[in-house]
Amino acid sequence: MEFTFDLNTIWFILIGILLTGYAILDGFDLGVGALHLFVKEDQERRIMINSIGPVWDGNEVWLVTGGGALFAAFPLVYATVFSGFYTALILLLFSLIFRAIAIEFRSKQPMKWWRQMWDVSFSISSILIAFLMGVALGNIVTGISLDSQKEFYGSFFSLINPYTFMVGITTVALFMMHGSIYVVMKTEGELQKKIRGWVNNAIIFFVISYVMTTMYTLIYYPHMVEHFKNTPILFLVAVINMLAIANIPREIFHGREFRAFLSSCISIAALMALFAIGLFPNIVFSNPNLENSLTIYNAASSQKTLGIMLTIAIIGIPFVLAYTISIYWIFRGKVKIDTTSY
Amino acid sequence: MNVEMLSRFQFAVTIAFHYIFPPLSIGLGVLLVIMEGLYLKTKNKLYEHLTKFWVKIFALTFAMGVATGIVMEFEFGTNWATYSRFVGDVFGSALAAEGIFAFFLESGFLAILVFGWNKVSPRIHFLSTIMVSFGSMLSAVWIVVANSWQQTPSGFHITGQGINARAEITNFWAMVFNPSSVDRLSHVLSGAWLAGAFFVLSVSAYYLLKKKHIEFAQASFKIALGMALFASLFQLFTGHQSAIGISKTQPAKLAAFEAHYDSSAIGDLYLFGWVNDNEQKVNLGLKIPGMLSYLIYGDTKARVTGLNAFNEANRPPVNIVFQSYHIMVAIGFILIGLSLVALFLWWKKKLFNQKWLLWIFVFSVFGPQLANQLGWISAEVGRQPWIVYGLLKTSESLSKVVQANQVVFSLIMFTAIYFLLFILFIYLLNGKIQHGPDVPESIQSEYEHQKALLERE
């Protein structure tokens, strides 16, 4: 298909940016959650939670807004995917509820069992959220069974197969790596030393999962690389991705956590870009019966609405960036526990 | 039960539970702005204690609102896919606007409000408080706009036919300012202010009765009373405006509010009653003849469109709407009465030693909560059988691929989880209230505390 830079394409990119923002931002705080139980001491666990304390809620807004934008720009995708993935989505929602509540409730009571309960809840739900998101992403790659009405006709269990499972694991690994770097950046002393040691393990875990997933994709889902074959310049994205990942241990070694974290952000953005390029102009592949796929054209809102939404986005995005940057600036530096902390 | 009933039920459970929290956040948010503003203006430490204490309560309700709110965003797609396809172009836009304009604003500045006391200057902190409050109301704007469009659709056209029919925006501002938006938004906001005001009144009254944190409680009480007075009277006005609007845009709903069947009859206003839908009459009722006609048209002899003007299949369930509407209105008047009595006693300088009144205030927190829920029941059940008034029926809006057993699972889980959350919320809230504000005078109250412990033994 010819690439035309129309409103549908712009919205495909914008939703991609929102979800990339989500993956980068909530990615690290899901990663912190995934690592949480490996830290044993109460005070250290408090530092873990408070490292994301002021920002996790705002990070989740990227998902909420991404969902809203999908609803507005591609309502058919929103409807088909959310009703088709019903049980998976409901599990995701429960995890999101428990995670939010765990962060808020954990340190409000001193009892050991209380804190342990919420620590487990926080960590498991963080892992589950990352995993389910990965499984969803995997299903978008493999394609799902859509009928001529563009309705999903598979079952919950048809969504889980070795490939989607592996994308789920890769996502958990990615966020663990990303989260561990974030914690190193936000902590000091013993805790920092301990977690600095974990970063490399997390990178190895991620790279192994990633390489396997990539091989799997190349062999069984070659439609994801069509655009890369036709437009070789796009391969640069894959190069950037690998260089960014390779740069992380180097920066960590030199004690430059912030640059390591930036590298990790870049690698997530590159991964999302690889995924989006492979997908374009489809949003949901139909497998089998490719002709039933949901694309940025047959699933979109009217041109008028896409235009209105673009105006809204152009007005809104500078504000969003301004808030996000100011909040991270105000809460920069190492975590200190005080009376206002969780 | 079939998928339709289950999905309706699940939506009702999740939205009703969610709606406990946002009104509290909106109402408390405005009070925080007043309290912190007073602190900056007077430099009186008392107002700082006030702000810091209520911020903690605010943070708790806000977190509950966030946790239960994400569900709502996804539930349109999971359970109401046909609806989502039909309205995505319109409704989705409002939802996306809420995300980009309101949620980012709220969540960003909330971080400073809650965690930033020592990180930014007092002025920036105050600015953050204002922004959080503004953001929470902006969020109400977009969500009420979206819902109002379902009540009174405008600024759109329908394209496609049958299952491919979709509503598309033709005029964005006509969609935003649809005929019921402004009336309903002001009604929702003042309902939220009432929820916040009576919450603070309730906790303060409790402290006064327990003779704890007296100075703190009196100051909180006075500020909240001011807002309660304003909001309860404003609510009367917005409610009246809404009813007039409904008479034009959704006459079936208005007729159901007052169980008015016969279009050739003048409209009576019931104070209470029990509707017998089969015989089309109200049992055990007390009515003011012609009052409905007077309130709507300024003429006691005016005819009001009755339910019989509508095909039976297009009428809402009358008694539910009648009861929820009447109890809501009754609560509204009680809140006005309470506010006025308290104001009078304040003026007489006898407010804080009226134990009976303080006890009423302790329980008054349930008033706005109940009225807010009942108001939404009136609005949403009153719109039935339509999900988008006159365009799409609720029964035709379901996800075709979702099976009953899936919804049974999710409904049971939501109910169980929300039940648990509610208990935990009350438990933590109670903990915070019992702990009270971190005021230096609490050193003195340690004596009180020990005395109380001794008395209990």
Side-chain angles (χ1 to χ4, degrees), chain A residues 18 50 53-69 71-73 75-76 78-80 82-87 89-94 96-98 100-101 104-105 108-109 111 113-114 117-118 149-153 156 298-306 308-309 311-313 315-317 319-320 323-324 327 330-332 334 338-342, chain B residues 7 10 56 59-60 62-64 66-68 70-85 87-101 103-112 114-120 124 142 163-164 166 168-172 399-402 406-407 409-411 413-414 417-418 420-421 424-425 427-428 431-432:
Chain A
L18 278 170
N50 280 289
V55 296
W56 72 269
D57 179 30
N59 295 345
E60 220 165 88
V61 171
W62 289 78
L63 176 69
V64 175
T65 306
F71 194 178
L76 270 61
Y78 172 85
T80 297
F82 285 22
S83 61
F85 293 6
Y86 188 87
T87 305
L89 238 312
I90 296 291
L91 286 177
L92 179 70
L93 289 175
F94 292 156
L96 286 167
I97 293 174
F98 270 107
I101 293 304
E104 185 66 30
F105 286 3
K108 290 218 160 40
Q109 294 292 337
M111 293 85 79
W113 62 268
W114 171 273
M117 174 172 84
W118 293 117
Q149 294 301 326
K150 316 229 185 289
E151 295 267 24
F152 174 68
Y153 61 85
F156 170 58
N298 70 18
S301 285
S302 64
Q303 290 297 305
K304 176 155 182 112
T305 297
L306 292 179
I308 294 167
M309 292 286 301
T311 313
I312 290 177
I315 299 169
I317 285 171
F319 286 101
V320 171
Y323 309 145
T324 309
I327 295 309
I330 289 169
F331 292 96
R332 70 191 180 280
K334 308 291 181 191
D338 63 25
T339 50
T340 62
S341 302
Y342 279 125
Chain B
S7 288
Q10 178 169 303
K56 287 192 171 175
L60 184 62
F62 194 92
M64 293 291 287
V66 170
T68 54
I70 292 182
V71 175
M72 305 320 305
E73 166 119 29
F74 289 81
E75 218 177 355
F76 302 114
T78 53
N79 292 65
W80 306 95
T82 309
Y83 161 82
S84 299
R85 290 191 182 94
V87 301
D89 197 286
V90 182
F91 190 90
S93 307
L95 222 55
E98 183 185 18
I100 207 153
F101 290 135
F103 289 157
F104 278 113
L105 180 75
E106 267 179 292
S107 65
F109 285 102
L110 180 77
I112 305 179
V114 178
F115 301 103
W117 289 102
N118 307 322
K119 298 261 182 191
V120 295
I124 298 289
W142 289 105
I163 51 163
N164 293 319
R166 285 165 52 178
E168 288 180 354
I169 299 177
T170 52
N171 181 336
F172 181 71
S399 299
K400 292 192 185 68
V401 300
V402 174
Q406 290 177 290
V407 189
F409 162 75
S410 56
L411 176 58
M413 290 295 286
F414 272 122
I417 291 173
Y418 282 1
L420 177 78
L421 284 192
L424 288 166
F425 171 71
Y427 171 68
L428 289 175
K432 285 203 179 300

Side-chain angles (χ1 to χ4, degrees), chain B residues 107-148:
Chain B
S107 65
F109 285 102
L110 180 77
I112 305 179
L113 174 61
V114 178
F115 301 103
W117 289 102
N118 307 322
K119 298 261 182 191
V120 295
S121 70
R123 276 166 174 277
I124 298 289
H125 192 273
F126 182 50
L127 176 76
S128 308
T129 313
I130 293 173
M131 286 301 167
V132 170
S133 171
F134 176 65
S136 66
M137 288 194 264
L138 204 55
S139 163
V141 169
W142 289 105
I143 206 70
V144 172
V145 160
N147 182 272
S148 294

